Amino acid sequence: MPNALDGFYFELVIIAMAVVWDVLTLAKYRQKKNPMTLLLFLTFLNWTAGIVFSWLSKYFEAFVYGIGLTVPLSDPNYWIISRIMGFRISFLFVTIALYISYYLRVKLFEKEMKKASNIFHVVFGAITCVLSIVLYNVITMDNSIDRIIVFALVFVYMAIVYFPFMTKSLKIAKTQQGAFKNAFMSLAIMSAFFISVFFCFLIDQMIGVVTGEGYTPFYFLAWISAIIGFISAYFGYIRPPKK
């Protein structure tokens, strides 16, 4: 059965791949100065930061505290390390990525931001960030139920952001031809795979609570989905194929 050490090396590879697409996207923005490319770069960058802190959690578990062990309360860095190992810092960066994705969706499809909609996203994102930090060892001492609640909250916000992004991209793709069609299809695929990330993580966490087993196949599928989302957006929208 895979453990934190396997997760450490797996996520190291995922980080390397994510950084490649971050750098390529930034280079494309510097070349074209397209504000939409900048928003995609910031989205990718925050996703990458989320992966980095997830990887750090594996580092602490595999090399510092021991596989299957948690941070002792006596550790002077208990507060921050426990939040890293509980994926809470990762959730913060993913939530920021979600808000940027919402802003990108508005710029692409609506042009002007509706005040009520923006307030909703700011409040929902803020609540998600606060609960990610605060809801730790509150319901159960082993933090399992707390983590599932926060996972579910991030997944709901992800669905709120990316389902409309996906449907609107598909709708416009149907009216376009050639490169424009491919560009919006790629954004729809990106949205679907980003949703898949936390859907897979949520299943992985629920299986872990029921069986006590970690690192199910859904864990590996989750980060693979994130990379596919990066690649789809880059080749379809950021660097569309030449005619």
Side-chain angles (χ1 to χ4, degrees):
M1 189 71 186
N3 56 32
L5 187 60
D6 300 303
F8 173 85
Y9 290 113
F10 172 72
E11 289 187 7
L12 191 60
V13 173
I14 294 295
I15 289 170
M17 296 175 69
V19 168
V20 168
W21 302 113
D22 290 347
V23 171
L24 290 174
T25 303
L26 179 61
K28 205 66 179 177
Y29 167 71
R30 290 169 64 91
Q31 178 186 356
K32 300 292 185 179
K33 300 297 181 181
N34 184 335
M36 304 305 174
T37 301
L38 176 61
L39 290 173
L40 275 170
F41 166 70
L42 293 174
T43 298
F44 291 172
L45 187 64
N46 278 280
W47 269 102
T48 303
I51 302 170
V52 168
F53 278 97
S54 177
W55 170 75
L56 280 174
S57 74
K58 312 304 185 300
Y59 167 78
F60 285 122
E61 184 178 355
F63 298 102
V64 179
Y65 299 104
I67 294 175
L69 301 180
T70 56
V71 191
L73 290 172
S74 59
D75 192 313
N77 298 311
Y78 170 81
W79 192 92
I80 184 63
I81 294 178
S82 64
R83 268 59 182 181
I84 292 174
M85 292 183 68
F87 308 107
R88 301 308 202 266
I89 308 301
S90 292
F91 292 157
L92 294 181
F93 284 104
V94 170
T95 302
I96 293 170
L98 291 177
Y99 181 80
I100 296 171
S101 296
Y102 156 71
Y103 188 78
L104 171 63
R105 190 188 80 202
V106 170
K107 291 298 182 181
L108 279 172
F109 305 117
E110 300 169 23
K111 306 306 178 184
E112 293 183 5
M113 183 172 289
K114 297 177 182 177
K115 185 176 180 180
S117 177
N118 187 49
I119 291 174
F120 168 80
H121 281 273
V122 169
V123 171
F124 199 106
I127 291 173
T128 301
C129 289
V130 170
L131 289 181
S132 295
I133 297 300
V134 174
L135 196 60
Y136 193 90
N137 286 352
V138 173
I139 299 176
T140 58
M141 289 304 295
D142 67 357
N143 191 44
S144 57
I145 302 300
D146 300 24
R147 188 164 61 243
I148 285 181
I149 291 173
V150 180
F151 259 113
L153 191 61
V154 176
F155 176 67
V156 168
Y157 189 32
M158 191 164 292
I160 290 171
V161 171
Y162 284 125
F163 269 123
F165 203 137
M166 180 173 61
T167 56
K168 289 184 179 183
S169 295
L170 288 172
K171 184 177 179 180
I172 292 182
K174 290 179 181 179
T175 66
Q176 303 294 325
Q177 298 292 330
F180 286 104
K181 182 182 182 70
N182 292 334
F184 284 100
M185 280 298 297
S186 73
L187 292 177
I189 293 170
M190 177 198 74
S191 300
F193 276 102
F194 280 173
I195 292 171
S196 174
V197 173
F198 268 69
F199 178 71
C200 290
F201 273 137
L202 188 57
I203 294 176
D204 175 74
Q205 291 295 308
M206 293 175 69
I207 292 174
V209 169
V210 173
T211 66
E213 297 179 352
Y215 300 98
T216 70
F218 289 99
Y219 157 78
F220 296 97
L221 285 172
W223 285 138
I224 291 172
S225 294
I227 294 302
I228 294 174
F230 279 40
I231 294 172
S232 175
Y234 180 81
F235 281 115
Y237 185 85
I238 298 170
R239 186 185 179 184
K242 296 180 180 179
K243 295 181 181 180

